[in-house]
Amino acid sequence: MNRDHLEGGVRHLRGRIKTAAGAVRGRAGDQLDGAYDQAAGAAQYAYGEARDTVRDLRHGGEHLVEEGRARFRDVSERGHALADEALERGQHYRERAVRHGRTLAARADENRGTTLALVAAVAFGLGWLARPTR
């Protein structure tokens, strides 16, 4: 669990509370703010999940690289070059995933209206699909 994972969960929960409180009080603005916080929290939580997955894959990859280095050490220099290239590619893909995740979270934060509209459309669609008669 990382910082984004935890903060995203807290922000999502805070958004649910705001939405419920806005509904009880009859304040549409509070409900919209709550829905936005829910969406942003879910995005940040998903980003945290992706970071954890990438980290786990990277650690697994490093283990495999080290095992590959041990096997190819006596065979040739080519084994070392391949292992180094694999490690560099793994680090490159990890950095790309982190960069794209941060960009996605920033875009969701910058485009509150679009994010809220997207969340509302998804909620409407799920509600329509879940109703007993269509």
Side-chain angles (χ1 to χ4, degrees):
M1 182 172 272
N2 59 48
R3 180 184 56 86
D4 288 312
H5 204 182
L6 183 62
E7 288 177 5
V10 169
R11 189 170 186 184
H12 179 76
L13 183 60
R14 188 174 55 228
R16 290 185 67 145
I17 292 169
K18 275 185 186 178
T19 302
V24 169
R25 293 179 184 159
R27 296 181 180 170
D30 289 346
Q31 285 179 303
L32 290 175
D33 285 343
Y36 170 77
D37 280 345
Q38 278 181 296
Q44 189 174 6
Y45 182 85
Y47 170 69
E49 286 281 319
R51 277 183 58 191
D52 284 345
T53 302
V54 168
R55 186 194 65 229
D56 293 344
L57 289 172
R58 180 175 177 240
H59 288 310
E62 287 173 349
H63 171 71
L64 291 174
V65 167
E66 289 303 320
E67 185 177 320
R69 280 184 177 159
R71 288 182 182 185
F72 288 111
R73 187 171 290 134
D74 296 331
V75 176
S76 72
E77 285 294 320
R78 177 128 170 85
H80 288 294
L82 289 173
D84 289 339
E85 182 181 343
L87 183 59
E88 287 174 12
R89 283 187 182 190
Q91 290 171 345
H92 169 74
Y93 289 127
R94 177 188 174 275
E95 290 167 2
R96 259 181 82 186
V98 168
R99 188 172 54 248
H100 287 297
R102 289 192 191 277
T103 301
L104 178 64
R107 283 187 183 171
D109 202 33
E110 290 171 0
N111 300 309
R112 290 182 177 192
T114 304
T115 303
L116 184 59
L118 181 62
V119 169
V122 169
F124 176 80
L126 288 175
W128 185 79
L129 289 173
R131 68 183 182 157
T133 57
R134 292 189 191 138

